[in-house]
Amino acid sequence: MFHALLVTFLLLTLTEPAHAGQRQDIFRQAKAATALIVAVNDADHSISIGSGFFVDASGLLVTNAHVIEESTRLYVYIRGQEIYSAPEVVAIDPDLDLAALHVRDTWADSLALEADDPPEGTEVIAVGYPRITDILQLGFVLHATTVPAMVSGLVQGQSRTKGQVAAFLQTTGLLNSGNSGGPLVRIDSGEVSAMVVNTVPYL
Amino acid sequence: MFHALLVTFLLLTLTEPAHAGQRQDIFRQAKAATALIVAVNDADHSISIGSGFFVDASGLLVTNAHVIEESTRLYVYIRGQEIYSAPEVVAIDPDLDLAALHVRDTWADSLALEADDPPEGTEVIAVGYPRITDILQLGFVLHATTVPAMVSGLVQGQSRTKGQVAAFLQTTGLLNSGNSGGPLVRIDSGEVSAMVVNTVPYL
Amino acid sequence: MFHALLVTFLLLTLTEPAHAGQRQDIFRQAKAATALIVAVNDADHSISIGSGFFVDASGLLVTNAHVIEESTRLYVYIRGQEIYSAPEVVAIDPDLDLAALHVRDTWADSLALEADDPPEGTEVIAVGYPRITDILQLGFVLHATTVPAMVSGLVQGQSRTKGQVAAFLQTTGLLNSGNSGGPLVRIDSGEVSAMVVNTVPYL
């Protein structure tokens, strides 16, 4: 009956200043900077769907390793309009469940990363493409969704493949697997606190 | 794992001034102005349960067309106390999924409609009667429930029967079919931003 | 599709002043004062898991009667680190679904109880151990979770065993049975508004 989103800390360096702006601007920019990632595996004819977000103006897009690591073809959908195929995989870390892609010749917005850990009670939105196939089948255009959540706290867990001690941020919200790789964005600053990596199923 | 509430814009004219007041007053008025609608179909012995809300002091009650269109008998429960049978169906638009009923001789509160679209991030409550049969079976008196949500944004979708381009407001919250026809009320102003019309199932 | 948390009012006397402090402090204290209760029934080899919270510095811990009443052995986990076995059962009221335990020689934080009813729209957190076995199996350390919710209102219901008229506080959030007995804490004051006693299942 409960949904705990457990998200890894981003280990990337904070390279952009804190984004100041209105709440509406923060929501709009968070959606504009969050891409849908479709990873096709031609060997077993499966598709993995996740989210990712741009962290600089050059087109560097970060997501979960588990979203893309089994794929033979990758597609990135930006703002629900532009499609980029075959982005370059710049880096992949299966243990931390992090991957970085480079999407060339795009004008996507990007998000700044928070330097510190967000305190308990921080209001955030998980931005991404949860249940996107159902939403499209209902006749809606492709779009990013914001799901509100609140930071419960830091929790010690285990890294994905090596089982090493790792810090996670816990929050609770109506997320699903399509949120994987998407950002958790502070509503007050627009900065990214974490990346969605795992959920405890609701039932 | 995700619950997207997709609500149509109300196309009715804004006829009442913005409601100013305390947060508690806004919640109380929103609940007092939201009725339970029970639509009985005597032909197939089925019951459709939904919500509706009063938009003026004369007893004009709006809801979804899909809540009432198959019914042979209609009952309206106000404030959990008063029951009105056989309200007049003033108008029904299956394509926009809107219907208007007239409940005579009532003193229900009414809600003002918002003139503009609510910006992304607006905090709202969905008011209605979700899971009302379960709640009554647990021994609770009949009452309206408020469910918090946050506006994700405007999304282009399709109208219900003709498939024409239509604007929807998306939000995320723990809604169920009993919320259909109920209002999405801004917490800051008490005005109605939209009517609940459809949901993407959680699982 | 909907989750109504229905919580009983605490009937205990308010003995501590309102806790003032920052939002982060309120979250941290609420988690530190909320214990995991594991109730083992050796007769039928079942385990009941719930939450409880300390209401004074002497180690008085309150929870639901239904969490502990079938047990032959009780364990209390505090801050995810200390374990206390065989706490004394000070009082138990099956009808109001309340129980009080005494945990000796602990230094747990405690929470103040709110003197008045919280108004509609009050922002709260349900603190407890929902889905804790799943969380532990994912490799996370034992920890309390905060789930955000908003007060919908007071609702008249029935007491648990005698079916007498009783007042409940309704809210909506992603709770599960592990939240039973845990506190509903006001985000603005850190005071306890209610204890989680019952939920309407989401599906």
Side-chain angles (χ1 to χ4, degrees):
Chain A
M1 313 293 188
F2 164 75
H3 222 238
L5 161 67
L6 298 151
V7 290
T8 53
F9 286 113
L10 285 168
L11 302 176
L12 307 174
T13 311
L14 179 69
T15 54
E16 295 180 80
H19 177 76
Q22 300 292 333
R23 186 180 179 101
Q24 182 176 31
D25 291 338
I26 286 171
F27 275 68
R28 288 186 175 180
Q29 181 163 3
K31 291 192 286 185
T34 303
L36 170 66
I37 298 174
V38 178
V40 180
N41 182 329
D42 290 295
D44 63 8
H45 305 290
S46 66
I47 290 179
S48 170
I49 290 176
S51 301
F53 58 100
F54 288 97
V55 291
D56 69 17
S58 80
L60 191 66
L61 178 73
V62 293
T63 185
N64 288 153
H66 79 257
V67 170
I68 66 160
E69 65 191 355
E70 303 288 331
S71 66
T72 52
R73 278 185 289 158
L74 282 176
Y75 299 91
V76 176
Y77 296 77
I78 299 170
R79 294 172 179 272
Q81 296 162 355
E82 303 144 39
I83 306 177
Y84 293 85
S85 57
E88 179 190 1
V89 179
V90 175
I92 187 161
D93 184 329
D95 187 44
L96 288 177
D97 205 356
L98 280 172
L101 308 177
H102 189 204
V103 179
R104 294 182 195 282
D105 302 322
T106 181
W107 297 269
D109 277 312
S110 63
L111 296 174
L113 306 178
E114 195 178 8
D116 301 312
D117 301 338
E120 289 90 337
T122 301
E123 290 185 289
V124 292
I125 44 175
V127 192
Y129 294 84
R131 300 204 71 85
I132 191 63
T133 51
D134 291 327
I135 289 172
L136 294 175
Q137 282 187 320
L138 286 170
F140 294 97
V141 297
L142 182 62
H143 64 278
T145 294
T146 63
V147 180
M150 196 178 281
V151 171
S152 180
L154 295 180
V155 183
Q156 181 186 313
Q158 296 173 359
S159 65
R160 181 167 165 252
T161 57
K162 298 179 182 167
Q164 292 176 330
V165 170
F168 290 79
L169 192 65
Q170 185 183 13
T171 185
T172 306
L174 285 163
L175 306 180
N176 98 326
S177 59
N179 283 103
S180 279
L184 208 67
V185 176
R186 285 183 70 133
I187 292 179
D188 58 358
S189 72
E191 293 180 315
V192 177
S193 295
M195 179 191 289
V196 178
V197 294
N198 203 353
T199 64
V200 180
Y202 180 74
L203 286 179
Chain B
M1 312 291 191
F2 165 75
H3 222 238
L5 161 66
L6 299 151
V7 289
T8 53
F9 286 114
L10 286 168
L11 302 175
L12 308 173
T13 311
L14 179 69
T15 54
E16 295 180 81
H19 177 78
Q22 300 293 332
R23 185 179 179 103
Q24 183 175 31
D25 292 339
I26 287 172
F27 275 68
R28 289 186 174 181
Q29 180 163 5
K31 291 192 286 185
T34 302
L36 170 66
I37 299 174
V38 177
V40 180
N41 182 329
D42 290 295
D44 62 8
H45 305 289
S46 66
I47 290 181
S48 169
I49 290 177
S51 302
F53 58 101
F54 288 96
V55 292
D56 69 17
S58 81
L60 191 65
L61 177 74
V62 294
T63 185
N64 287 154
H66 79 256
V67 169
I68 65 160
E69 65 191 355
E70 303 287 332
S71 66
T72 52
R73 278 185 289 158
L74 282 175
Y75 299 92
V76 175
Y77 295 76
I78 299 170
R79 294 172 180 272
Q81 297 163 353
E82 303 144 39
I83 306 176
Y84 294 85
S85 57
E88 179 191 1
V89 179
V90 176
I92 187 161
D93 184 329
D95 187 45
L96 289 177
D97 205 356
L98 281 172
L101 309 176
H102 189 204
V103 179
R104 294 182 195 282
D105 302 321
T106 182
W107 296 269
D109 278 312
S110 63
L111 296 174
L113 306 178
E114 194 178 10
D116 302 311
D117 301 338
E120 289 90 339
T122 300
E123 291 185 288
V124 291
I125 43 175
V127 191
Y129 294 85
R131 300 205 69 84
I132 192 63
T133 51
D134 291 326
I135 288 171
L136 294 175
Q137 281 187 320
L138 286 170
F140 295 97
V141 296
L142 182 62
H143 64 279
T145 294
T146 62
V147 180
M150 196 178 280
V151 170
S152 180
L154 295 180
V155 182
Q156 181 185 312
Q158 296 173 359
S159 65
R160 181 166 165 252
T161 57
K162 297 179 182 168
Q164 292 176 329
V165 171
F168 289 79
L169 192 64
Q170 186 184 13
T171 185
T172 306
L174 285 163
L175 306 180
N176 97 326
S177 58
N179 283 103
S180 280
L184 209 66
V185 175
R186 286 182 70 133
I187 291 179
D188 58 357
S189 71
E191 293 180 316
V192 177
S193 295
M195 179 191 287
V196 178
V197 295
N198 203 353
T199 64
V200 179
Y202 181 74
L203 286 179
Chain C
M1 309 293 192
F2 165 75
H3 222 239
L5 161 66
L6 298 151
V7 290
T8 53
F9 286 114
L10 286 168
L11 302 176
L12 307 174
T13 311
L14 178 70
T15 55
E16 294 180 82
H19 176 77
Q22 301 292 333
R23 186 180 179 103
Q24 182 176 32
D25 292 338
I26 287 171
F27 275 69
R28 289 186 174 180
Q29 181 163 4
K31 290 192 288 185
T34 302
L36 169 67
I37 299 173
V38 178
V40 180
N41 183 330
D42 290 294
D44 62 8
H45 305 290
S46 66
I47 290 180
S48 170
I49 290 176
S51 301
F53 57 100
F54 289 96
V55 292
D56 69 18
S58 81
L60 191 65
L61 177 73
V62 293
T63 185
N64 289 153
H66 79 257
V67 169
I68 65 160
E69 65 191 355
E70 303 288 331
S71 66
T72 52
R73 278 184 290 157
L74 281 176
Y75 300 92
V76 175
Y77 295 75
I78 299 169
R79 294 173 179 270
Q81 296 163 355
E82 303 144 40
I83 306 177
Y84 294 86
S85 58
E88 179 191 1
V89 179
V90 176
I92 187 162
D93 184 330
D95 188 44
L96 288 177
D97 205 356
L98 281 171
L101 309 176
H102 189 205
V103 179
R104 294 182 196 282
D105 302 321
T106 182
W107 297 268
D109 278 311
S110 63
L111 296 174
L113 307 178
E114 194 178 8
D116 302 311
D117 301 337
E120 289 90 337
T122 300
E123 290 184 289
V124 292
I125 45 175
V127 192
Y129 294 85
R131 299 206 70 85
I132 191 63
T133 51
D134 292 326
I135 289 172
L136 295 175
Q137 282 187 318
L138 286 170
F140 295 96
V141 298
L142 183 62
H143 64 278
T145 295
T146 61
V147 180
M150 196 179 280
V151 171
S152 180
L154 296 180
V155 182
Q156 182 186 311
Q158 295 173 358
S159 65
R160 180 166 166 252
T161 57
K162 297 178 182 169
Q164 292 177 329
V165 171
F168 290 78
L169 192 64
Q170 186 183 13
T171 184
T172 306
L174 285 163
L175 305 180
N176 97 326
S177 59
N179 283 103
S180 279
L184 208 67
V185 176
R186 286 183 70 134
I187 292 179
D188 58 358
S189 71
E191 292 180 316
V192 177
S193 295
M195 180 191 288
V196 178
V197 294
N198 203 353
T199 64
V200 179
Y202 181 75
L203 285 178

